[in-house]
Amino acid sequence: MEKAKFLSDFKEQFIDGDSITVELDTKFRQLETWDSLTGMSVIVMIQDIYKIEMSDTDIKNCNTVNDIYEFVANKI
Amino acid sequence: MINSNISEISYYLPENILDNASLSNQHPEWSVEKISSKTGIYKRHIANKKETSGDLAFKAAELLFLENNIDRSVIDFLLFCTQSPDYFLPTTACLLQDRLKLPVSCGALDYNLGCSGFVYGLGLAKGLISSGQARNILLLTAETYSKYIHPLDKSNKTIFGDAAAATLITADETNSEGIGKFEYSTDGSGGEFLIVKNGAHRSRLLTGKDIFDGDAFLRNDDYLYMNGKEIFSFTAFNVPGLIERCIKKNNLAPEEIDLFVMHQANEFMLQTIRKRASIPTEKFYIHLSDCGNTVSSTIPIALFHALKEGKIKRGSKVLIAGFGVGLSCAATVLTF
């Protein structure tokens, strides 16, 4: 599971995904356009592309993009 | 089999408007502009205290008769979809038969569905027509969710609007199947995700308390509660499959569908469905900015505008899908 692709897939869920900077160590909740709808979008993306079920609670336990990456990578 | 067609559609929006400026005044801490740009909703119409779903339905029906020069004595069946009826009993449809001066030989019934209601109504109408029980069916959808929404519930206030739609469905002796085959789905395990808990017979007394999540209003059991995340998840993961099965059932290929008109829940949800179901933007119709999510009336209102704008022409194949409270889904293909 490629880190760069995951980062790009993650960024795409943001309404301003083209213009923001997101790295693996970014605390995603601090991004201006992060909200619960973006969170739901991320969950759907992970199911669609990585075929992994991630719940709202699982996301709550993550702080950085890398936390989410690790969660998914561990389940594949 | 006697085929059936949608002949005419009209709709009615109550006069009071709740726009984003008012929402902002009521909830200064709520970023109304941000939410509106994501939900695609800028204005909703709200029934006043004395206006019931029966009143809205009455007005929509009268508009239908007036705008299309319809002789009301041809109506032989009235279907009324609502989750906020005038009374527990008698049936609001029976009262509407009287108010609309429909023939006493008319059949009439209420049915309780929300977002999937219009599509279900077409299914029932098709059944009545194909079995020879009726030939000119008046399908009324009317909803006043505003009466169930708590004054502090800013999210639901942003999304839902009141409205009624009137649709005339007629028997068609030609070979054209104006209303195609249906795909249904029901998952009652998700019932709790969109619910008004108190007031009916499971829990009669209105003893709800305001429950907060930090500063944010979460729920009060006397009022409408919607778990947005669960509803979103259900829709995102189930509706694309429903669409696919419906297209197959109608012996069509996806490219043969000219227009997709979904239940107009909110723009964000609609775009998620569109992307997951690989529907091109130009074939995906959206209309909700000035009326919001009007529950069972979103599809007929959208169809009305799509027809007016020429997005639906003679021979167009339109896939419609309703999904939501219940949890309940239904889809079919219409040929105009």
Side-chain angles (χ1 to χ4, degrees):
Chain A
M1 188 189 144
E2 231 209 73
K3 279 192 175 185
K5 179 168 188 307
F6 182 81
L7 198 56
S8 148
D9 292 333
F10 183 85
K11 256 182 77 169
E12 241 187 68
Q13 308 315 310
F14 286 74
I15 216 165
D16 52 0
D18 287 339
S19 46
I20 52 170
T21 317
V22 180
E23 302 299 337
L24 283 166
D25 58 3
T26 305
K27 292 196 168 112
F28 56 85
R29 270 184 211 89
Q30 289 174 3
L31 291 164
E32 212 201 309
T33 47
W34 171 269
D35 59 19
S36 60
L37 289 178
T38 319
M40 290 187 238
S41 232
V42 166
I43 290 173
V44 173
M45 177 276 289
I46 290 172
Q47 173 71 51
D48 272 349
I49 301 181
Y50 299 95
K51 316 285 183 231
I52 298 295
E53 258 183 58
M54 190 167 187
S55 74
D56 198 42
T57 320
D58 294 329
I59 298 247
K60 277 205 169 90
N61 293 332
C62 298
N63 289 313
T64 63
V65 183
N66 198 54
D67 290 341
I68 302 182
Y69 171 82
E70 292 293 333
F71 178 94
V72 180
N74 285 336
K75 294 227 162 178
I76 289 187
Chain B
M1 187 182 80
I2 309 170
N3 286 320
S4 38
N5 267 324
I6 291 183
S7 299
E8 311 291 352
I9 303 175
S10 289
Y11 73 93
Y12 175 78
L13 301 175
E15 277 171 16
N16 294 346
I17 291 178
L18 175 64
D19 60 16
N20 290 350
S22 314
L23 270 175
S24 215
N25 282 335
Q26 292 169 23
H27 307 278
E29 76 293 356
W30 179 237
S31 171
V32 178
E33 283 318 311
K34 208 200 237 180
I35 299 303
S36 300
S37 62
K38 259 190 155 159
T39 60
I41 301 165
Y42 293 82
K43 213 165 69 166
R44 326 88 197 120
H45 292 246
I46 307 292
N48 67 43
K49 277 202 159 59
K50 295 210 174 114
E51 241 176 336
T52 63
S53 65
D55 293 331
L56 302 187
F58 171 80
K59 295 209 163 103
E62 287 292 345
L63 272 172
L64 183 81
F65 296 148
L66 185 70
E67 287 170 359
N68 301 287
N69 223 359
I70 294 169
D71 171 11
R72 62 191 70 209
S73 67
V74 308
I75 305 294
D76 49 16
F77 216 99
L78 170 55
L79 293 169
F80 181 45
C81 177
T82 190
Q83 302 194 297
S84 51
D86 287 6
Y87 299 99
F88 292 127
L89 61 147
T91 306
T92 309
C94 296
L95 302 173
L96 283 167
Q97 172 278 330
D98 184 48
R99 289 176 71 177
L100 290 168
K101 305 203 184 335
L102 302 181
V104 292
S105 51
C106 200
L109 62 92
D110 288 358
Y111 65 101
N112 178 320
L113 277 172
C115 328
S116 61
F118 180 74
V119 184
Y120 265 84
L122 295 183
L124 293 173
K126 180 177 178 174
L128 287 164
I129 288 175
S130 66
S131 57
Q133 293 182 69
R135 293 185 63 83
N136 293 293
I137 299 179
L138 181 59
L139 169 60
L140 300 177
T141 54
E143 202 51 82
T144 52
Y145 267 17
S146 66
K147 295 182 195 291
Y148 291 137
I149 294 174
H150 192 286
L152 295 178
D153 188 349
K154 48 202 183 201
S155 346
N156 285 323
K157 276 161 82 177
T158 305
I159 292 170
F160 291 109
D162 298 337
T167 305
L168 180 66
I169 299 137
T170 55
D172 184 342
E173 310 290 12
T174 72
N175 257 332
S176 77
E177 200 179 36
I179 300 175
K181 299 184 178 46
F182 286 78
E183 185 67 27
Y184 294 108
S185 173
T186 308
D187 186 357
S189 71
E192 303 266 314
F193 298 142
L194 224 184
I195 188 169
V196 175
K197 265 201 159 141
N198 294 340
H201 300 287
R202 180 58 71 202
S203 174
R204 192 94 165 90
L205 300 175
L206 297 177
T207 53
K209 303 268 178 293
D210 291 347
I211 297 181
F212 291 83
D213 178 12
D215 276 341
F217 174 82
L218 188 61
R219 65 186 305 169
N220 176 321
D221 287 347
D222 294 348
Y223 297 85
L224 187 93
Y225 166 72
M226 180 166 73
N227 184 322
K229 294 191 170 127
E230 289 289 350
I231 298 291
F232 176 86
S233 188
F234 165 76
T235 305
F237 290 125
N238 287 287
V239 175
L242 178 84
I243 293 172
E244 196 184 317
R245 292 192 304 276
C246 182
I247 293 175
K248 271 207 179 85
K249 203 166 202 177
N250 282 275
N251 296 313
L252 294 165
E255 312 75 63
E256 292 179 84
I257 303 292
D258 298 304
L259 198 69
F260 292 80
V261 180
M262 305 285 101
H263 159 59
Q264 307 287 297
N266 65 75
E267 176 118 25
F268 185 75
M269 163 128 310
L270 288 171
Q271 293 300 346
T272 305
I273 293 170
R274 186 189 68 72
K275 286 182 223 165
R276 295 197 84 236
S278 308
I279 299 169
T281 315
E282 62 279 7
K283 284 193 173 184
F284 195 78
Y285 190 74
I286 296 185
H287 180 97
L288 79 166
S289 61
D290 61 353
C291 54
N293 177 342
T294 56
V295 198
S296 48
S297 295
T298 70
I299 295 174
I301 291 176
L303 287 174
F304 176 94
H305 286 277
L307 282 159
K308 206 165 168 206
E309 293 164 20
K311 294 244 161 60
I312 300 176
K313 306 189 235 301
R314 194 164 192 71
S316 290
K317 290 207 177 315
V318 181
L319 186 143
I320 57 172
F323 38 84
V325 60
L327 301 171
S328 172
C329 302
T332 189
V333 175
L334 305 172
T335 306
F336 281 84

